[in-house]
Amino acid sequence: MSTLEIKNLHVQVDTNDGPKPILKGVDLTVASGEVHAIMGPNGSGKSTLAYSIAGHPDYEVTEGEVLLDGVNILDMSVDERARAGLFLAMQYPVEVPGVTVANFLRTAKTAIDGEAPKVRQWIGQVNQAMENLRMDPAFSQRDVNAGFSGGEKKRFEILQMELLRPRFAILDETDSGLDIDALRIVSEGVNRLHDASDAGFLLITHYTRILRYIKPSHIHVFVDGRVAEEGGPDLADRLEEEGYDRFLA
Ligand SMILES: Nc1ncnc2c1ncn2[C@@H]1O[C@H](COP(=O)(O)OP(=O)(O)O)[C@@H](O)[C@H]1O
Ligand SMILES: [Mg+2]
């Protein structure tokens, strides 16, 4: 049983007009096996929270801490955080020309486990995971995200998550831009990992529709760099009906 604790997190970025505070005291704790949804309007700082936990160098933590089983991960490099069991599915996955999907996955798995996976077993796992996500095996030989459609990029993020088996997965709007079939396939991937491991999830989303397929235990409404309201699954129904208006007054 693990916990990811975000405590009083304040984050700023450098802009041409000087430092701009974005996160203004975020408190949130996720335990193994839990699925937390972070919902909120555009520009409220959801991606900033995801990047800050993952260790993006543009986001400067000015106050607070992020503890993984009591250890402050903010002192760790990005790869140390990944090895500690954190995974981020990015809102806008980047293209990496010259690096094939197969190579990328194997290199990432080796780096995280500290040893190369056994070849035959690994190939079986990759093929099975691709089949589960309805990804054509030909993707193995394509360059990472190069020329992938929006939906294909999101499936590839979930493929990485399923193969790397993190302790905590942060999914930043993995549902955005997906058609209904892709949304279901991506959701199934999350549910599969949830059933097969004790991973904890931080599911960042702008819309409530993914919550038809993934049932979060906790909902946090994120507004202007902090958690404005928290509740159980029924809070999502209320947001579906009312939108974020009452938070933006
Ligand atoms: N690197 C950056 N430089 C300047 N402003 C930024 C940067 N990253 C984020 N912001 C600003 O911080 C706010 C929150 O952004 P973001 O975390 O992407 O919100 P969300 O994911 O909730 O839509 C926005 O106003 C955005 O323009
Ligand atoms: Mg975002």
mmCIF file with all atom_site columns, all heavy atoms in Angstrom, residues 13-15 20-23 40-49 51 58-59 91 172-173 204 222, ligand 1:
data_model
loop_
_atom_site.group_PDB
_atom_site.id
_atom_site.type_symbol
_atom_site.label_atom_id
_atom_site.label_alt_id
_atom_site.label_comp_id
_atom_site.label_asym_id
_atom_site.label_entity_id
_atom_site.label_seq_id
_atom_site.pdbx_PDB_ins_code
_atom_site.Cartn_x
_atom_site.Cartn_y
_atom_site.Cartn_z
_atom_site.occupancy
_atom_site.B_iso_or_equiv
_atom_site.pdbx_formal_charge
_atom_site.auth_seq_id
_atom_site.auth_comp_id
_atom_site.auth_asym_id
_atom_site.auth_atom_id
_atom_site.pdbx_PDB_model_num
ATOM   1   N N   . VAL A 1 13  ? 5.684   29.771 -13.052 1.00 0.00 ? 13  VAL A N   1
ATOM   2   C CA  . VAL A 1 13  ? 6.502   29.681 -14.260 1.00 0.00 ? 13  VAL A CA  1
ATOM   3   C C   . VAL A 1 13  ? 7.083   31.057 -14.553 1.00 0.00 ? 13  VAL A C   1
ATOM   4   O O   . VAL A 1 13  ? 6.528   32.073 -14.140 1.00 0.00 ? 13  VAL A O   1
ATOM   5   C CB  . VAL A 1 13  ? 5.700   29.213 -15.499 1.00 0.00 ? 13  VAL A CB  1
ATOM   6   C CG1 . VAL A 1 13  ? 5.259   27.780 -15.356 1.00 0.00 ? 13  VAL A CG1 1
ATOM   7   C CG2 . VAL A 1 13  ? 4.529   30.125 -15.784 1.00 0.00 ? 13  VAL A CG2 1
ATOM   8   N N   . ASP A 1 14  ? 8.197   31.059 -15.266 1.00 0.00 ? 14  ASP A N   1
ATOM   9   C CA  . ASP A 1 14  ? 8.812   32.308 -15.687 1.00 0.00 ? 14  ASP A CA  1
ATOM   10  C C   . ASP A 1 14  ? 8.142   32.791 -16.964 1.00 0.00 ? 14  ASP A C   1
ATOM   11  O O   . ASP A 1 14  ? 7.995   32.028 -17.911 1.00 0.00 ? 14  ASP A O   1
ATOM   12  C CB  . ASP A 1 14  ? 10.305  32.080 -15.972 1.00 0.00 ? 14  ASP A CB  1
ATOM   13  C CG  . ASP A 1 14  ? 11.166  32.641 -14.869 1.00 0.00 ? 14  ASP A CG  1
ATOM   14  O OD1 . ASP A 1 14  ? 10.679  33.553 -14.162 1.00 0.00 ? 14  ASP A OD1 1
ATOM   15  O OD2 . ASP A 1 14  ? 12.297  32.157 -14.703 1.00 0.00 ? 14  ASP A OD2 1
ATOM   16  N N   . THR A 1 15  ? 7.740   34.037 -16.998 1.00 0.00 ? 15  THR A N   1
ATOM   17  C CA  . THR A 1 15  ? 7.194   34.600 -18.239 1.00 0.00 ? 15  THR A CA  1
ATOM   18  C C   . THR A 1 15  ? 7.972   35.882 -18.539 1.00 0.00 ? 15  THR A C   1
ATOM   19  O O   . THR A 1 15  ? 8.784   36.330 -17.723 1.00 0.00 ? 15  THR A O   1
ATOM   20  C CB  . THR A 1 15  ? 5.700   34.951 -18.104 1.00 0.00 ? 15  THR A CB  1
ATOM   21  O OG1 . THR A 1 15  ? 5.575   36.076 -17.221 1.00 0.00 ? 15  THR A OG1 1
ATOM   22  C CG2 . THR A 1 15  ? 4.893   33.789 -17.544 1.00 0.00 ? 15  THR A CG2 1
ATOM   23  N N   . LYS A 1 20  ? 5.060   33.919 -12.821 1.00 0.00 ? 20  LYS A N   1
ATOM   24  C CA  . LYS A 1 20  ? 3.592   33.875 -12.752 1.00 0.00 ? 20  LYS A CA  1
ATOM   25  C C   . LYS A 1 20  ? 3.178   32.677 -11.896 1.00 0.00 ? 20  LYS A C   1
ATOM   26  O O   . LYS A 1 20  ? 3.443   31.531 -12.247 1.00 0.00 ? 20  LYS A O   1
ATOM   27  C CB  . LYS A 1 20  ? 3.049   33.714 -14.167 1.00 0.00 ? 20  LYS A CB  1
ATOM   28  C CG  . LYS A 1 20  ? 1.542   33.505 -14.229 1.00 0.00 ? 20  LYS A CG  1
ATOM   29  C CD  . LYS A 1 20  ? 1.084   33.300 -15.665 1.00 0.00 ? 20  LYS A CD  1
ATOM   30  C CE  . LYS A 1 20  ? -0.409  32.952 -15.672 1.00 0.00 ? 20  LYS A CE  1
ATOM   31  N NZ  . LYS A 1 20  ? -0.933  32.701 -16.999 1.00 0.00 ? 20  LYS A NZ  1
ATOM   32  N N   . PRO A 1 21  ? 2.530   32.952 -10.735 1.00 0.00 ? 21  PRO A N   1
ATOM   33  C CA  . PRO A 1 21  ? 2.078   31.842 -9.894  1.00 0.00 ? 21  PRO A CA  1
ATOM   34  C C   . PRO A 1 21  ? 0.918   31.117 -10.566 1.00 0.00 ? 21  PRO A C   1
ATOM   35  O O   . PRO A 1 21  ? -0.006  31.760 -11.071 1.00 0.00 ? 21  PRO A O   1
ATOM   36  C CB  . PRO A 1 21  ? 1.590   32.518 -8.604  1.00 0.00 ? 21  PRO A CB  1
ATOM   37  C CG  . PRO A 1 21  ? 1.944   33.954 -8.725  1.00 0.00 ? 21  PRO A CG  1
ATOM   38  C CD  . PRO A 1 21  ? 2.167   34.266 -10.166 1.00 0.00 ? 21  PRO A CD  1
ATOM   39  N N   . ILE A 1 22  ? 0.957   29.795 -10.597 1.00 0.00 ? 22  ILE A N   1
ATOM   40  C CA  . ILE A 1 22  ? -0.140  29.024 -11.202 1.00 0.00 ? 22  ILE A CA  1
ATOM   41  C C   . ILE A 1 22  ? -0.814  28.133 -10.164 1.00 0.00 ? 22  ILE A C   1
ATOM   42  O O   . ILE A 1 22  ? -2.016  28.186 -10.000 1.00 0.00 ? 22  ILE A O   1
ATOM   43  C CB  . ILE A 1 22  ? 0.354   28.193 -12.399 1.00 0.00 ? 22  ILE A CB  1
ATOM   44  C CG1 . ILE A 1 22  ? 1.001   29.123 -13.435 1.00 0.00 ? 22  ILE A CG1 1
ATOM   45  C CG2 . ILE A 1 22  ? -0.811  27.444 -13.042 1.00 0.00 ? 22  ILE A CG2 1
ATOM   46  C CD1 . ILE A 1 22  ? 1.575   28.405 -14.630 1.00 0.00 ? 22  ILE A CD1 1
ATOM   47  N N   . LEU A 1 23  ? -0.012  27.330 -9.460  1.00 0.00 ? 23  LEU A N   1
ATOM   48  C CA  . LEU A 1 23  ? -0.604  26.525 -8.387  1.00 0.00 ? 23  LEU A CA  1
ATOM   49  C C   . LEU A 1 23  ? -0.480  27.297 -7.079  1.00 0.00 ? 23  LEU A C   1
ATOM   50  O O   . LEU A 1 23  ? 0.581   27.827 -6.746  1.00 0.00 ? 23  LEU A O   1
ATOM   51  C CB  . LEU A 1 23  ? 0.081   25.160 -8.273  1.00 0.00 ? 23  LEU A CB  1
ATOM   52  C CG  . LEU A 1 23  ? 0.009   24.259 -9.507  1.00 0.00 ? 23  LEU A CG  1
ATOM   53  C CD1 . LEU A 1 23  ? 0.583   22.880 -9.196  1.00 0.00 ? 23  LEU A CD1 1
ATOM   54  C CD2 . LEU A 1 23  ? -1.416  24.152 -10.047 1.00 0.00 ? 23  LEU A CD2 1
ATOM   55  N N   . GLY A 1 40  ? -11.832 20.370 -13.997 1.00 0.00 ? 40  GLY A N   1
ATOM   56  C CA  . GLY A 1 40  ? -11.796 21.818 -13.853 1.00 0.00 ? 40  GLY A CA  1
ATOM   57  C C   . GLY A 1 40  ? -11.746 22.503 -15.184 1.00 0.00 ? 40  GLY A C   1
ATOM   58  O O   . GLY A 1 40  ? -11.432 21.882 -16.206 1.00 0.00 ? 40  GLY A O   1
ATOM   59  N N   . PRO A 1 41  ? -12.041 23.797 -15.174 1.00 0.00 ? 41  PRO A N   1
ATOM   60  C CA  . PRO A 1 41  ? -12.048 24.555 -16.421 1.00 0.00 ? 41  PRO A CA  1
ATOM   61  C C   . PRO A 1 41  ? -10.650 24.661 -17.034 1.00 0.00 ? 41  PRO A C   1
ATOM   62  O O   . PRO A 1 41  ? -9.648  24.449 -16.355 1.00 0.00 ? 41  PRO A O   1
ATOM   63  C CB  . PRO A 1 41  ? -12.561 25.941 -16.002 1.00 0.00 ? 41  PRO A CB  1
ATOM   64  C CG  . PRO A 1 41  ? -12.396 26.002 -14.522 1.00 0.00 ? 41  PRO A CG  1
ATOM   65  C CD  . PRO A 1 41  ? -12.413 24.605 -14.008 1.00 0.00 ? 41  PRO A CD  1
ATOM   66  N N   . ASN A 1 42  ? -10.609 24.996 -18.302 1.00 0.00 ? 42  ASN A N   1
ATOM   67  C CA  . ASN A 1 42  ? -9.333  25.227 -18.980 1.00 0.00 ? 42  ASN A CA  1
ATOM   68  C C   . ASN A 1 42  ? -8.572  26.338 -18.272 1.00 0.00 ? 42  ASN A C   1
ATOM   69  O O   . ASN A 1 42  ? -9.160  27.320 -17.833 1.00 0.00 ? 42  ASN A O   1
ATOM   70  C CB  . ASN A 1 42  ? -9.575  25.646 -20.430 1.00 0.00 ? 42  ASN A CB  1
ATOM   71  C CG  . ASN A 1 42  ? -10.021 24.464 -21.271 1.00 0.00 ? 42  ASN A CG  1
ATOM   72  O OD1 . ASN A 1 42  ? -9.527  23.353 -21.085 1.00 0.00 ? 42  ASN A OD1 1
ATOM   73  N ND2 . ASN A 1 42  ? -10.944 24.690 -22.172 1.00 0.00 ? 42  ASN A ND2 1
ATOM   74  N N   . GLY A 1 43  ? -7.275  26.158 -18.167 1.00 0.00 ? 43  GLY A N   1
ATOM   75  C CA  . GLY A 1 43  ? -6.433  27.197 -17.595 1.00 0.00 ? 43  GLY A CA  1
ATOM   76  C C   . GLY A 1 43  ? -6.405  27.216 -16.081 1.00 0.00 ? 43  GLY A C   1
ATOM   77  O O   . GLY A 1 43  ? -5.834  28.115 -15.474 1.00 0.00 ? 43  GLY A O   1
ATOM   78  N N   . SER A 1 44  ? -7.001  26.211 -15.428 1.00 0.00 ? 44  SER A N   1
ATOM   79  C CA  . SER A 1 44  ? -7.052  26.225 -13.965 1.00 0.00 ? 44  SER A CA  1
ATOM   80  C C   . SER A 1 44  ? -5.769  25.668 -13.336 1.00 0.00 ? 44  SER A C   1
ATOM   81  O O   . SER A 1 44  ? -5.589  25.762 -12.128 1.00 0.00 ? 44  SER A O   1
ATOM   82  C CB  . SER A 1 44  ? -8.273  25.448 -13.462 1.00 0.00 ? 44  SER A CB  1
ATOM   83  O OG  . SER A 1 44  ? -8.281  24.131 -13.970 1.00 0.00 ? 44  SER A OG  1
ATOM   84  N N   . GLY A 1 45  ? -4.898  25.071 -14.173 1.00 0.00 ? 45  GLY A N   1
ATOM   85  C CA  . GLY A 1 45  ? -3.611  24.591 -13.649 1.00 0.00 ? 45  GLY A CA  1
ATOM   86  C C   . GLY A 1 45  ? -3.505  23.077 -13.553 1.00 0.00 ? 45  GLY A C   1
ATOM   87  O O   . GLY A 1 45  ? -2.574  22.558 -12.926 1.00 0.00 ? 45  GLY A O   1
ATOM   88  N N   . LYS A 1 46  ? -4.395  22.373 -14.195 1.00 0.00 ? 46  LYS A N   1
ATOM   89  C CA  . LYS A 1 46  ? -4.393  20.902 -14.093 1.00 0.00 ? 46  LYS A CA  1
ATOM   90  C C   . LYS A 1 46  ? -3.120  20.304 -14.704 1.00 0.00 ? 46  LYS A C   1
ATOM   91  O O   . LYS A 1 46  ? -2.478  19.442 -14.109 1.00 0.00 ? 46  LYS A O   1
ATOM   92  C CB  . LYS A 1 46  ? -5.632  20.318 -14.801 1.00 0.00 ? 46  LYS A CB  1
ATOM   93  C CG  . LYS A 1 46  ? -6.959  20.864 -14.262 1.00 0.00 ? 46  LYS A CG  1
ATOM   94  C CD  . LYS A 1 46  ? -8.163  20.220 -14.929 1.00 0.00 ? 46  LYS A CD  1
ATOM   95  C CE  . LYS A 1 46  ? -8.283  20.435 -16.441 1.00 0.00 ? 46  LYS A CE  1
ATOM   96  N NZ  . LYS A 1 46  ? -8.412  21.870 -16.826 1.00 0.00 ? 46  LYS A NZ  1
ATOM   97  N N   . SER A 1 47  ? -2.764  20.774 -15.910 1.00 0.00 ? 47  SER A N   1
ATOM   98  C CA  . SER A 1 47  ? -1.541  20.247 -16.537 1.00 0.00 ? 47  SER A CA  1
ATOM   99  C C   . SER A 1 47  ? -0.305  20.675 -15.750 1.00 0.00 ? 47  SER A C   1
ATOM   100 O O   . SER A 1 47  ? 0.665   19.916 -15.646 1.00 0.00 ? 47  SER A O   1
ATOM   101 C CB  . SER A 1 47  ? -1.413  20.729 -17.981 1.00 0.00 ? 47  SER A CB  1
ATOM   102 O OG  . SER A 1 47  ? -2.405  20.132 -18.788 1.00 0.00 ? 47  SER A OG  1
ATOM   103 N N   . THR A 1 48  ? -0.354  21.873 -15.196 1.00 0.00 ? 48  THR A N   1
ATOM   104 C CA  . THR A 1 48  ? 0.765   22.343 -14.369 1.00 0.00 ? 48  THR A CA  1
ATOM   105 C C   . THR A 1 48  ? 0.981   21.408 -13.183 1.00 0.00 ? 48  THR A C   1
ATOM   106 O O   . THR A 1 48  ? 2.121   21.071 -12.841 1.00 0.00 ? 48  THR A O   1
ATOM   107 C CB  . THR A 1 48  ? 0.492   23.787 -13.886 1.00 0.00 ? 48  THR A CB  1
ATOM   108 O OG1 . THR A 1 48  ? 0.366   24.628 -15.028 1.00 0.00 ? 48  THR A OG1 1
ATOM   109 C CG2 . THR A 1 48  ? 1.597   24.290 -12.974 1.00 0.00 ? 48  THR A CG2 1
ATOM   110 N N   . LEU A 1 49  ? -0.111  20.965 -12.581 1.00 0.00 ? 49  LEU A N   1
ATOM   111 C CA  . LEU A 1 49  ? -0.003  20.010 -11.475 1.00 0.00 ? 49  LEU A CA  1
ATOM   112 C C   . LEU A 1 49  ? 0.657   18.713 -11.960 1.00 0.00 ? 49  LEU A C   1
ATOM   113 O O   . LEU A 1 49  ? 1.586   18.204 -11.319 1.00 0.00 ? 49  LEU A O   1
ATOM   114 C CB  . LEU A 1 49  ? -1.400  19.717 -10.904 1.00 0.00 ? 49  LEU A CB  1
ATOM   115 C CG  . LEU A 1 49  ? -1.448  18.671 -9.792  1.00 0.00 ? 49  LEU A CG  1
ATOM   116 C CD1 . LEU A 1 49  ? -0.702  19.167 -8.552  1.00 0.00 ? 49  LEU A CD1 1
ATOM   117 C CD2 . LEU A 1 49  ? -2.901  18.328 -9.429  1.00 0.00 ? 49  LEU A CD2 1
ATOM   118 N N   . TYR A 1 51  ? 2.601   18.211 -14.641 1.00 0.00 ? 51  TYR A N   1
ATOM   119 C CA  . TYR A 1 51  ? 4.013   18.451 -14.985 1.00 0.00 ? 51  TYR A CA  1
ATOM   120 C C   . TYR A 1 51  ? 4.873   18.620 -13.737 1.00 0.00 ? 51  TYR A C   1
ATOM   121 O O   . TYR A 1 51  ? 6.020   18.178 -13.700 1.00 0.00 ? 51  TYR A O   1
ATOM   122 C CB  . TYR A 1 51  ? 4.141   19.718 -15.832 1.00 0.00 ? 51  TYR A CB  1
ATOM   123 C CG  . TYR A 1 51  ? 3.777   19.554 -17.286 1.00 0.00 ? 51  TYR A CG  1
ATOM   124 C CD1 . TYR A 1 51  ? 3.050   20.539 -17.948 1.00 0.00 ? 51  TYR A CD1 1
ATOM   125 C CD2 . TYR A 1 51  ? 4.189   18.449 -18.016 1.00 0.00 ? 51  TYR A CD2 1
ATOM   126 C CE1 . TYR A 1 51  ? 2.725   20.420 -19.294 1.00 0.00 ? 51  TYR A CE1 1
ATOM   127 C CE2 . TYR A 1 51  ? 3.875   18.320 -19.354 1.00 0.00 ? 51  TYR A CE2 1
ATOM   128 C CZ  . TYR A 1 51  ? 3.146   19.306 -19.997 1.00 0.00 ? 51  TYR A CZ  1
ATOM   129 O OH  . TYR A 1 51  ? 2.839   19.182 -21.317 1.00 0.00 ? 51  TYR A OH  1
ATOM   130 N N   . ASP A 1 58  ? 10.331  23.592 -16.402 1.00 0.00 ? 58  ASP A N   1
ATOM   131 C CA  . ASP A 1 58  ? 9.776   24.947 -16.487 1.00 0.00 ? 58  ASP A CA  1
ATOM   132 C C   . ASP A 1 58  ? 8.928   25.327 -15.275 1.00 0.00 ? 58  ASP A C   1
ATOM   133 O O   . ASP A 1 58  ? 8.601   26.502 -15.096 1.00 0.00 ? 58  ASP A O   1
ATOM   134 C CB  . ASP A 1 58  ? 8.877   25.092 -17.727 1.00 0.00 ? 58  ASP A CB  1
ATOM   135 C CG  . ASP A 1 58  ? 9.689   25.142 -19.015 1.00 0.00 ? 58  ASP A CG  1
ATOM   136 O OD1 . ASP A 1 58  ? 10.937  25.149 -18.913 1.00 0.00 ? 58  ASP A OD1 1
ATOM   137 O OD2 . ASP A 1 58  ? 9.077   25.150 -20.091 1.00 0.00 ? 58  ASP A OD2 1
ATOM   138 N N   . TYR A 1 59  ? 8.581   24.331 -14.469 1.00 0.00 ? 59  TYR A N   1
ATOM   139 C CA  . TYR A 1 59  ? 7.639   24.599 -13.378 1.00 0.00 ? 59  TYR A CA  1
ATOM   140 C C   . TYR A 1 59  ? 8.386   24.615 -12.051 1.00 0.00 ? 59  TYR A C   1
ATOM   141 O O   . TYR A 1 59  ? 8.897   23.597 -11.593 1.00 0.00 ? 59  TYR A O   1
ATOM   142 C CB  . TYR A 1 59  ? 6.514   23.557 -13.398 1.00 0.00 ? 59  TYR A CB  1
ATOM   143 C CG  . TYR A 1 59  ? 5.717   23.679 -14.681 1.00 0.00 ? 59  TYR A CG  1
ATOM   144 C CD1 . TYR A 1 59  ? 6.137   23.049 -15.854 1.00 0.00 ? 59  TYR A CD1 1
ATOM   145 C CD2 . TYR A 1 59  ? 4.603   24.517 -14.740 1.00 0.00 ? 59  TYR A CD2 1
ATOM   146 C CE1 . TYR A 1 59  ? 5.445   23.214 -17.046 1.00 0.00 ? 59  TYR A CE1 1
ATOM   147 C CE2 . TYR A 1 59  ? 3.904   24.685 -15.931 1.00 0.00 ? 59  TYR A CE2 1
ATOM   148 C CZ  . TYR A 1 59  ? 4.335   24.025 -17.081 1.00 0.00 ? 59  TYR A CZ  1
ATOM   149 O OH  . TYR A 1 59  ? 3.662   24.204 -18.253 1.00 0.00 ? 59  TYR A OH  1
ATOM   150 N N   . GLN A 1 91  ? -0.966  15.309 -21.927 1.00 0.00 ? 91  GLN A N   1
ATOM   151 C CA  . GLN A 1 91  ? -2.101  15.854 -22.685 1.00 0.00 ? 91  GLN A CA  1
ATOM   152 C C   . GLN A 1 91  ? -1.723  15.990 -24.167 1.00 0.00 ? 91  GLN A C   1
ATOM   153 O O   . GLN A 1 91  ? -2.536  15.703 -25.033 1.00 0.00 ? 91  GLN A O   1
ATOM   154 C CB  . GLN A 1 91  ? -2.510  17.212 -22.106 1.00 0.00 ? 91  GLN A CB  1
ATOM   155 C CG  . GLN A 1 91  ? -3.713  17.825 -22.805 1.00 0.00 ? 91  GLN A CG  1
ATOM   156 C CD  . GLN A 1 91  ? -4.237  19.065 -22.102 1.00 0.00 ? 91  GLN A CD  1
ATOM   157 O OE1 . GLN A 1 91  ? -3.671  19.554 -21.128 1.00 0.00 ? 91  GLN A OE1 1
ATOM   158 N NE2 . GLN A 1 91  ? -5.345  19.589 -22.607 1.00 0.00 ? 91  GLN A NE2 1
ATOM   159 N N   . ASP A 1 172 ? -3.324  13.030 -18.026 1.00 0.00 ? 172 ASP A N   1
ATOM   160 C CA  . ASP A 1 172 ? -3.719  14.418 -18.268 1.00 0.00 ? 172 ASP A CA  1
ATOM   161 C C   . ASP A 1 172 ? -4.588  14.505 -19.517 1.00 0.00 ? 172 ASP A C   1
ATOM   162 O O   . ASP A 1 172 ? -4.081  14.505 -20.639 1.00 0.00 ? 172 ASP A O   1
ATOM   163 C CB  . ASP A 1 172 ? -2.468  15.292 -18.411 1.00 0.00 ? 172 ASP A CB  1
ATOM   164 C CG  . ASP A 1 172 ? -2.824  16.782 -18.420 1.00 0.00 ? 172 ASP A CG  1
ATOM   165 O OD1 . ASP A 1 172 ? -4.014  17.115 -18.250 1.00 0.00 ? 172 ASP A OD1 1
ATOM   166 O OD2 . ASP A 1 172 ? -1.895  17.598 -18.586 1.00 0.00 ? 172 ASP A OD2 1
ATOM   167 N N   . GLU A 1 173 ? -5.872  14.581 -19.306 1.00 0.00 ? 173 GLU A N   1
ATOM   168 C CA  . GLU A 1 173 ? -6.851  14.703 -20.402 1.00 0.00 ? 173 GLU A CA  1
ATOM   169 C C   . GLU A 1 173 ? -6.633  13.672 -21.499 1.00 0.00 ? 173 GLU A C   1
ATOM   170 O O   . GLU A 1 173 ? -6.701  13.976 -22.679 1.00 0.00 ? 173 GLU A O   1
ATOM   171 C CB  . GLU A 1 173 ? -6.842  16.127 -20.996 1.00 0.00 ? 173 GLU A CB  1
ATOM   172 C CG  . GLU A 1 173 ? -7.225  17.153 -19.937 1.00 0.00 ? 173 GLU A CG  1
ATOM   173 C CD  . GLU A 1 173 ? -7.973  18.348 -20.497 1.00 0.00 ? 173 GLU A CD  1
ATOM   174 O OE1 . GLU A 1 173 ? -8.587  18.237 -21.574 1.00 0.00 ? 173 GLU A OE1 1
ATOM   175 O OE2 . GLU A 1 173 ? -7.961  19.399 -19.838 1.00 0.00 ? 173 GLU A OE2 1
ATOM   176 N N   . ILE A 1 204 ? -7.009  13.382 -14.823 1.00 0.00 ? 204 ILE A N   1
ATOM   177 C CA  . ILE A 1 204 ? -7.333  14.786 -15.064 1.00 0.00 ? 204 ILE A CA  1
ATOM   178 C C   . ILE A 1 204 ? -8.252  14.874 -16.275 1.00 0.00 ? 204 ILE A C   1
ATOM   179 O O   . ILE A 1 204 ? -7.939  14.306 -17.323 1.00 0.00 ? 204 ILE A O   1
ATOM   180 C CB  . ILE A 1 204 ? -6.047  15.593 -15.322 1.00 0.00 ? 204 ILE A CB  1
ATOM   181 C CG1 . ILE A 1 204 ? -5.167  15.570 -14.069 1.00 0.00 ? 204 ILE A CG1 1
ATOM   182 C CG2 . ILE A 1 204 ? -6.371  17.017 -15.744 1.00 0.00 ? 204 ILE A CG2 1
ATOM   183 C CD1 . ILE A 1 204 ? -3.800  16.203 -14.254 1.00 0.00 ? 204 ILE A CD1 1
ATOM   184 N N   . PHE A 1 222 ? -10.963 21.548 -9.604  1.00 0.00 ? 222 PHE A N   1
ATOM   185 C CA  . PHE A 1 222 ? -9.763  22.370 -9.596  1.00 0.00 ? 222 PHE A CA  1
ATOM   186 C C   . PHE A 1 222 ? -10.098 23.722 -10.222 1.00 0.00 ? 222 PHE A C   1
ATOM   187 O O   . PHE A 1 222 ? -10.575 23.787 -11.359 1.00 0.00 ? 222 PHE A O   1
ATOM   188 C CB  . PHE A 1 222 ? -8.716  21.639 -10.438 1.00 0.00 ? 222 PHE A CB  1
ATOM   189 C CG  . PHE A 1 222 ? -7.305  21.887 -10.019 1.00 0.00 ? 222 PHE A CG  1
ATOM   190 C CD1 . PHE A 1 222 ? -6.820  21.326 -8.851  1.00 0.00 ? 222 PHE A CD1 1
ATOM   191 C CD2 . PHE A 1 222 ? -6.458  22.664 -10.790 1.00 0.00 ? 222 PHE A CD2 1
ATOM   192 C CE1 . PHE A 1 222 ? -5.505  21.538 -8.464  1.00 0.00 ? 222 PHE A CE1 1
ATOM   193 C CE2 . PHE A 1 222 ? -5.150  22.886 -10.406 1.00 0.00 ? 222 PHE A CE2 1
ATOM   194 C CZ  . PHE A 1 222 ? -4.671  22.324 -9.244  1.00 0.00 ? 222 PHE A CZ  1
HETATM 195 N N1  . LIG B 2 .   ? 5.170   27.563 -19.429 1.00 0.00 ? 1   LIG B N1  1
HETATM 196 C C1  . LIG B 2 .   ? 4.202   28.477 -19.219 1.00 0.00 ? 1   LIG B C1  1
HETATM 197 N N2  . LIG B 2 .   ? 4.411   29.797 -19.437 1.00 0.00 ? 1   LIG B N2  1
HETATM 198 C C2  . LIG B 2 .   ? 3.445   30.707 -19.213 1.00 0.00 ? 1   LIG B C2  1
HETATM 199 N N3  . LIG B 2 .   ? 2.210   30.416 -18.772 1.00 0.00 ? 1   LIG B N3  1
HETATM 200 C C3  . LIG B 2 .   ? 1.945   29.129 -18.534 1.00 0.00 ? 1   LIG B C3  1
HETATM 201 C C4  . LIG B 2 .   ? 2.915   28.082 -18.755 1.00 0.00 ? 1   LIG B C4  1
HETATM 202 N N4  . LIG B 2 .   ? 2.349   26.899 -18.438 1.00 0.00 ? 1   LIG B N4  1
HETATM 203 C C5  . LIG B 2 .   ? 1.091   27.190 -18.038 1.00 0.00 ? 1   LIG B C5  1
HETATM 204 N N5  . LIG B 2 .   ? 0.846   28.521 -18.097 1.00 0.00 ? 1   LIG B N5  1
HETATM 205 C C6  . LIG B 2 .   ? -0.422  29.191 -17.771 1.00 0.00 ? 1   LIG B C6  1
HETATM 206 O O1  . LIG B 2 .   ? -0.878  28.662 -16.548 1.00 0.00 ? 1   LIG B O1  1
HETATM 207 C C7  . LIG B 2 .   ? -2.296  28.533 -16.568 1.00 0.00 ? 1   LIG B C7  1
HETATM 208 C C8  . LIG B 2 .   ? -2.664  27.076 -16.276 1.00 0.00 ? 1   LIG B C8  1
HETATM 209 O O2  . LIG B 2 .   ? -2.297  26.268 -17.389 1.00 0.00 ? 1   LIG B O2  1
HETATM 210 P P1  . LIG B 2 .   ? -2.519  24.695 -17.423 1.00 0.00 ? 1   LIG B P1  1
HETATM 211 O O3  . LIG B 2 .   ? -1.854  24.095 -16.249 1.00 0.00 ? 1   LIG B O3  1
HETATM 212 O O4  . LIG B 2 .   ? -2.124  24.209 -18.758 1.00 0.00 ? 1   LIG B O4  1
HETATM 213 O O5  . LIG B 2 .   ? -4.128  24.612 -17.239 1.00 0.00 ? 1   LIG B O5  1
HETATM 214 P P2  . LIG B 2 .   ? -5.143  23.432 -17.578 1.00 0.00 ? 1   LIG B P2  1
HETATM 215 O O6  . LIG B 2 .   ? -4.356  22.198 -17.830 1.00 0.00 ? 1   LIG B O6  1
HETATM 216 O O7  . LIG B 2 .   ? -6.030  23.345 -16.385 1.00 0.00 ? 1   LIG B O7  1
HETATM 217 O O8  . LIG B 2 .   ? -5.918  23.880 -18.796 1.00 0.00 ? 1   LIG B O8  1
HETATM 218 C C9  . LIG B 2 .   ? -2.739  29.017 -17.934 1.00 0.00 ? 1   LIG B C9  1
HETATM 219 O O9  . LIG B 2 .   ? -3.148  30.355 -17.802 1.00 0.00 ? 1   LIG B O9  1
HETATM 220 C C10 . LIG B 2 .   ? -1.496  28.887 -18.767 1.00 0.00 ? 1   LIG B C10 1
HETATM 221 O O10 . LIG B 2 .   ? -1.497  29.805 -19.838 1.00 0.00 ? 1   LIG B O10 1
#
